[in-house]
Amino acid sequence: MKNPRLLLAARGETVDRPPVWFMRQAGRYQARYRALRQKYTLLDIVRQPELAAMVTLWPVEELGVDGAILFSDIVVPLAPMGISVDIREGVGPVVDPPVRTAAYLEKLRPLEPEEDLPYVLQTVSLLAKELEVPLIGFAGGPFTLASYLVEGGPSRSFLRLKTLMYREEALYRRLMDLLTESIARHLLAQIAHGAHLVQLFDSWVGTLSPEDYRLYVAPYSRAIAGAVAAAGAPLIHFGVGTSSLLEEMAAAGGDVLGIDWREPLGRARRRLGETVLQGNLDPALLLAEKPLIQARVRALLEETGGQRHIFNLGHGVLPQTPPQALSWVVEEVHRWTV
Ligand code: CP3
C-alpha cells in the first residue's frame, strides 16, 4: 500500500506526520453526493458495489485524506436479521415495529454476513484492490444499535431502552448478545474481505453513567474487541459525549479511542496514557473562517505532538460544511512534521 500511515498510527507506531480522515467524509456536504442521491436512496447505493465503492473513493480523491471509510450505514445489517428498518431523510434510522418483546426477539436471527450482505463484502473487495490508503470497515456498537431497535428511531433520553435495561434485564441481555454476535461477524467478514482496520461506532453510550456502562455495555464491547484483535486488525472505539466514560471505554477494548470535541485531547492523554487517540475538532468549527480553522488544527496537533494521534473531527462532517474547510484541515495536518 502506497500510504499506510493510518494503519501504522492505529498500531501505535511512529509516523512522519499524523494521519487524517473524517467521519462522514462521504455525504451531503458534497454536491456530487447530493446529485447521486436524487437518483438513488442511501440503501440503493449501499446495495450496488460499483456505486458504493465510487462514493467511498470520492473524498479520498478530493481531499487527499489518509483513509477511506466504507460507504454503508450502521443499520444495514439489521434488515436481514429480521428487523424492519428504514433511513428517513433528515431523521435517521426508523425501526417500525420496534423490538420490545420477547416474542419479537424470538423471531430475529444472527447475521450471516456472506449470505446476508454479499454486496457490502463485494464493495470491500473492490476497494481493497484499488486503494492506496487503508480501508476502514465499521459497525455500530450493540448499545447504539439497540437504541434504534427499542426506541424505534433516534432518541434524546433513551428512556425505552433504559427501562428495558433496568426492568427486563434478561431480555435486554438477550438482545445485546444477538447484536454482539452479529456485529462481531460483520466486522470479521469485512476484515476477511480486505478492510485494514475497523471502527466500532458506539455513538450513543454517552447517555450512561460509568457504572451502567461497565454493567450494561462493556462486556459486549469487550467481546467484539476480542474477536477483532484475534483477527489481527486494529480497532477504533468511538462514542459521542463520552468524557465521563473514557477509562471505561478504553478498558473495554480497542487500539484507538475516538473522542468528541468536549474532551481536550491533552487531558484525554493524561487520563489514558499510551492509548492512541482519534479526534477531535468540533464539526461546527468547519463553519468558521480559514484562519480560525487553521489555528485550531495547529493547536490540536501541538496538544498531541502529532504522535499516537489520528486526526479527525469529534463527530461526523455536517451537511452544511463548505468542502473547502475540509481541504484546509487536511492541508494544515499535512504541513505538520513531527
Ligand atoms: O463517510 C462515512 O462516514 C461512511 C458512511 C457512514 C454513513 N453512516 C452513511 C450515511 C457511516 C460510517 C455511518 C455511521 C452511522 N450511521 C452512525 C454512527 C456515526 C454517528 O454519526 O454517530 C449512526 C448513528 C448512523 C445512523 C444514521 N444514518 C443517522 C443518524 C443518519 C442521519 C440522518 C440525517 O438525515 O441526518 C443516517 C443517514 C446517513 N448515513 C447519511 C449518510 C451519508 C445521510 C445522508 C443521506 O441520507 O444520504
Side-chain angles (χ1 to χ4, degrees):
M1 188 187 314
K2 205 164 154 197
N3 170 7
R5 206 175 268 115
L6 173 62
L7 196 53
L8 298 176
R11 290 201 187 113
E13 293 176 35
T14 305
V15 284
D16 56 346
R17 59 165 180 78
V20 53
W21 70 281
F22 302 105
M23 293 182 276
R24 282 290 163 83
Q25 63 190 20
R28 284 167 296 183
Y29 77 94
Q30 295 170 303
R32 51 177 171 171
Y33 179 80
R34 290 194 302 270
L36 188 72
R37 284 278 283 102
Q38 294 294 310
K39 253 181 97 182
Y40 303 102
T41 68
L42 191 147
L43 296 175
D44 288 337
I45 301 171
V46 170
R47 287 190 202 105
Q48 297 180 64
E50 303 283 341
L51 284 183
M54 178 181 78
V55 174
T56 302
L57 291 172
W58 280 345
V60 181
E61 296 158 1
E62 283 165 18
L63 303 171
V65 285
D66 297 298
I69 180 155
L70 171 71
F71 190 82
S72 180
D73 194 89
I74 59 166
V75 298
V76 164
L78 300 178
M81 295 171 64
I83 296 152
S84 164
V85 61
D86 187 29
I87 300 179
R88 296 232 180 107
E89 186 99 48
V91 176
V94 172
V95 175
D96 186 18
V99 182
R100 290 179 192 152
T101 61
Y104 194 170
L105 184 58
E106 280 314 312
K107 289 194 232 156
L108 306 181
R109 62 159 176 90
L111 184 75
E112 303 281 356
E114 305 279 345
E115 286 140 50
D116 295 334
L117 302 174
Y119 42 89
V120 172
L121 300 177
Q122 244 174 291
T123 307
V124 171
S125 302
L126 275 176
L127 286 164
K129 265 186 272 165
E130 275 193 51
L131 279 164
E132 296 182 346
V133 295
L135 176 64
I136 306 159
F138 72 90
F143 183 84
T144 295
L145 288 179
S147 80
Y148 290 108
L149 263 53
V150 176
E151 301 289 338
S155 172
R156 270 178 203 283
S157 55
F158 303 98
L159 290 182
R160 288 185 188 275
L161 179 57
K162 287 185 181 182
T163 303
L164 185 78
M165 195 173 92
Y166 293 134
R167 295 183 71 115
E168 294 185 80
E169 185 176 340
L171 185 55
Y172 169 83
R173 291 200 182 276
R174 268 163 55 212
L175 176 60
M176 291 293 278
D177 281 334
L178 175 73
L179 290 168
T180 298
E181 177 65 35
S182 300
I183 292 161
R185 289 182 187 179
H186 189 34
L187 291 174
L188 294 185
Q190 292 174 64
I191 294 164
H193 283 256
H196 302 96
L197 66 166
V198 291
Q199 176 154 331
L200 187 68
F201 283 96
D202 216 350
S203 301
W204 311 137
V205 289
T207 188
L208 296 174
S209 68
E211 182 185 12
D212 282 349
Y213 180 88
R214 276 194 302 274
L215 284 172
Y216 297 109
V217 177
Y220 308 98
S221 311
R222 190 167 288 124
I224 293 166
V228 170
L235 174 70
I236 305 168
H237 189 184
F238 169 78
V240 182
T242 52
S243 283
S244 54
L245 302 177
L246 297 184
E247 289 82 0
E248 281 74 16
M249 287 181 72
D255 303 272
V256 181
L257 198 63
I259 297 176
D260 86 2
W261 63 94
R262 297 169 182 89
E263 174 75 15
L265 284 197
R267 191 166 79 184
R269 172 135 301 159
R270 289 191 293 280
R271 289 170 63 180
L272 299 167
E274 288 292 273
T275 308
V276 179
L277 305 179
Q278 175 174 282
N280 74 342
L281 281 187
D282 186 339
L285 181 78
L286 299 188
L287 308 178
E289 290 180 36
K290 189 175 181 182
L292 181 60
I293 295 176
Q294 289 175 317
R296 290 294 185 85
V297 171
R298 281 195 298 271
L300 188 48
L301 288 167
E302 272 153 27
E303 229 180 317
T304 64
Q307 289 297 338
R308 309 188 83 78
H309 180 200
I310 296 170
F311 203 101
N312 206 315
L313 305 180
H315 200 181
V317 177
L318 299 166
Q320 304 88 328
T321 306
Q324 260 198 317
L326 291 165
S327 299
W328 298 331
V329 173
V330 173
E331 228 170 74
E332 208 53 43
V333 178
H334 284 188
R335 231 198 298 271
W336 178 273
T337 44
V338 290

